[in-house]
């Protein structure tokens, strides 16, 4: 056993209201510089939909993540020879049109226009060329367009449905969408790190945050292709790659990342987990149906004496171990088994997990009015969004994993209805709870952690003793001159 600590995260999709506050707080702090205009380290997409950048999940097009070939785990992108041949032209990159052309407005037109009968308007101007543009796309252009033929119907996860299932999904009374907020997953087996020929991307030892060394980066952009989630971006001013840094300067000060802190729906939870680094290759190579179980298995019980001993041996402090014991992520993922990784079949072992959305029940048109089709509480099989679709998104096609979670989520709803409104008998409630395999105590805890969590319940952030870590690596007076993200001295291009 080789225990390491990792900052990991849970997003509860039922609570996301699609307000984009998270994206804006991130943008204001980290990507309001020249060269970063099109970057959204945090973005919120509507699902079903094509996302940002367009069709990022299509790995036939982008070749991100890993595959098992002849029993061996290898990057889907290319091997060493492929890297060498493609180094001056990487064919598997999204173009600016796949993101969107960033723009601003010519605000001075509002003040300088001559007198006229019409109100002046500010023309949109491309932030890349400085010329007027017609706006045709944006990072959340498909917002709320759950039934759109341009966006929703092109969602690649719908390929697992039959034509008739797809047709039913897009019936007006069945239309459905939910929000999927995305940041870098700070994976345990990151494709971006493995793809970088300059070894500029690394995983920080003490908390597993994946960072790009701006001095080492040569701008080859293999990391952008290697990341199947398309969460590395290219800064066209500095010629370097950039990505979500999980607000590590905030974490080091005991604060939650800005997108977590500002989240209006309070959907975001974060905390340390302890994992066994010796298992990474085995977990990443698991059969698709076993991937979710394997990812759960790599995360170890922070109360187990042998885990604690191995953690201490690796220099993990007691503060971090205590924080792992209090982590809401551990509870969602291992204790209640309610959260799933996004596209585990990309095999990067993502450390951001999602509680799937318990969408409204299906109603159908009877005469002139809509009526509930089933009882008020659906079964896992009668949910508005097909289990097959959710399992393509969150469990590498393993429908059982998704059904088990829905049984629990529905059981918690029925339990609360029974105890607070009283129109469901105790016998009926017990039957559902037994089927879902949860006790009333657990249902109460899940309810509290979902609906009434305080800041302390949502975030368990230890002191990472950065000063101690830095002392082992470099001179502290060098570090003293560096603050935040960016450069004290502008880096020289390598060509
Ligand atoms: Fe790297 Fe992408 Fe994983 Fe982030 S999500 S660690 S950028 S592979
Ligand atoms: Fe969803 Fe929270 Fe972001 Fe709003 S701030 S879009 S609720 S994740």
């Amino acid at each position: 056993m080789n225990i390491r600590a990792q900052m990991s995260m849970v997003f509860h999709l039922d609570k996301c209201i699609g307000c984009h506050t998270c994206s804006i707080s991130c943008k204001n702090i980290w990507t309001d510089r020249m060269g970063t205009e099109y970057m959204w380290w945090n973005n919120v997409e509507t699902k079903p939909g094509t996302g940002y950048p367009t069709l990022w999940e299509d790995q036939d097009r982008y070749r991100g993540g890993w595959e098992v070939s002849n029993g061996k785990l290898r990057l889907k992108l290319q091997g060493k020879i492929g890297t060498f041949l493609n180094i001056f032209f990487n064919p598997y990159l999204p173009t600016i049109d796949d993101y969107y052309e960033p723009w601003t407005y010519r605000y001075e037109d509002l003040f300088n226009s001559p007198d006229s009968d019409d109100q002046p308007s500010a023309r949109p101007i491309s932030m890349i060329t400085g010329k007027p543009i017609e706006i045709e796309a944006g990072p959340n252009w498909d917002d709320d367009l759950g039934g759109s033929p341009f966006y929703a119907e092109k969602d690649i996860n719908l390929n697992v449905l039959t034509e008739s299932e797809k047709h039913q999904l897009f019936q007006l009374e069945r239309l459905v969408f939910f929000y999927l907020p995305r940041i870098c997953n700070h994976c345990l087996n990151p494709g971006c790190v493995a793809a970088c020929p300059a070894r500029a991307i690394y995983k920080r030892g003490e908390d597993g945050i994946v960072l790009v060394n701006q001095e080492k980066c040569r701008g080859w952009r293999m990391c952008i292709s290697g990341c199947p989630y398309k969460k590395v971006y290219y800064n066209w001013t500095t010629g370097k790659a950039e990505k979500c840094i999980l607000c590590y300067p905030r974490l080091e000060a005991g604060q939650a990342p800005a997108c977590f802190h500002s989240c209006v729906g309070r959907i975001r939870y974060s905390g340390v987990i302890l994992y066994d680094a010796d298992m990474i290759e085995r977990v990443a190579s698991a059969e698709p149906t076993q991937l979710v179980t394997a990812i759960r298995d790599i995360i170890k019980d922070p109360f187990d004496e042998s885990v604690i001993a191995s953690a201490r041996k690796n220099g993990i402090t007691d503060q971090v171990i205590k924080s792992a014991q209090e982590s809401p992520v551990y509870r969602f993922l291992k204790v209640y088994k309610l959260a799933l990784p996004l596209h585990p079949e990309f095999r990067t072992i993502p450390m951001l997990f999602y509680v799937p959305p318990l969408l409204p029940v299906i109603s159908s048109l009877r005469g002139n009015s809509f009526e509930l089709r089933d009882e008020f509480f659906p079964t896992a099989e009668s949910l508005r969004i097909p289990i097959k679709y959710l399992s393509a998104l969150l469990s590498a096609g393993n429908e059982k994993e998704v059904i088990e979670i829905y049984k629990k989520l529905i059981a918690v709803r029925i339990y609360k209805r029974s105890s607070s409104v009283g129109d469901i008998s105790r016998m009926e409630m017990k039957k559902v709870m037994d089927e879902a395999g949860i006790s009333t105590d657990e249902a109460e805890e899940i309810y509290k952690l979902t609906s009434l969590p305080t800041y302390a319940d949502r975030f368990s952030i230890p002191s990472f003793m950065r000063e101690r870590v830095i002392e082992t690596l470099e001179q502290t007076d060098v570090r003293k001159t560096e603050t935040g993200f960016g450069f004290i001295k502008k880096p020289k291009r390598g060509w």
Side-chain angles (χ1 to χ4, degrees), residues 15-22 44 181 262-268:
K15 303 206 289 170
C16 180
I17 56 173
C19 63
H20 300 272
T21 310
C22 46
V44 182
S262 63
C263 174
V264 175
R266 300 187 178 186
I267 81 157
R268 294 172 179 233

Side-chain angles (χ1 to χ4, degrees), residues 184-187 190-192 210 227 229 232 243:
C184 164
N185 299 292
H186 297 279
C187 311
C192 59
V210 175
C227 169
Y229 302 93
V232 194
K243 62 180 288 302

Side-chain angles (χ1 to χ4, degrees), residues 475-483:
Q475 300 270 333
T476 41
D477 56 338
V478 174
R479 178 55 66 131
K480 230 169 112 184
T481 55
E482 299 171 10
T483 46

Side-chain angles (χ1 to χ4, degrees), residues 196-270:
C196 174
R199 300 195 179 167
I201 309 194
Y202 63 102
K203 204 163 165 60
R204 217 159 78 141
E206 67 270 36
D207 51 17
I209 296 176
V210 175
L211 297 169
V212 185
N213 181 327
Q214 298 286 293
E215 301 292 342
K216 273 192 173 177
C217 175
R218 311 272 296 181
W220 302 124
R221 286 170 270 179
M222 297 299 172
C223 51
I224 301 174
S225 309
C227 169
Y229 302 93
K230 291 291 157 278
K231 280 292 167 192
V232 194
Y233 305 85
Y234 179 68
N235 181 324
W236 56 268
T237 309
T238 60
K240 310 280 177 178
E242 291 186 14
K243 62 180 288 302
C244 157
I245 57 174
L246 203 59
C247 286
Y248 72 79
R250 288 177 59 91
L251 284 177
E252 285 166 16
Q255 295 278 315
C259 56
F260 286 67
H261 198 129
S262 63
C263 174
V264 175
R266 300 187 178 186
I267 81 157
R268 294 172 179 233
Y269 301 76
S270 98

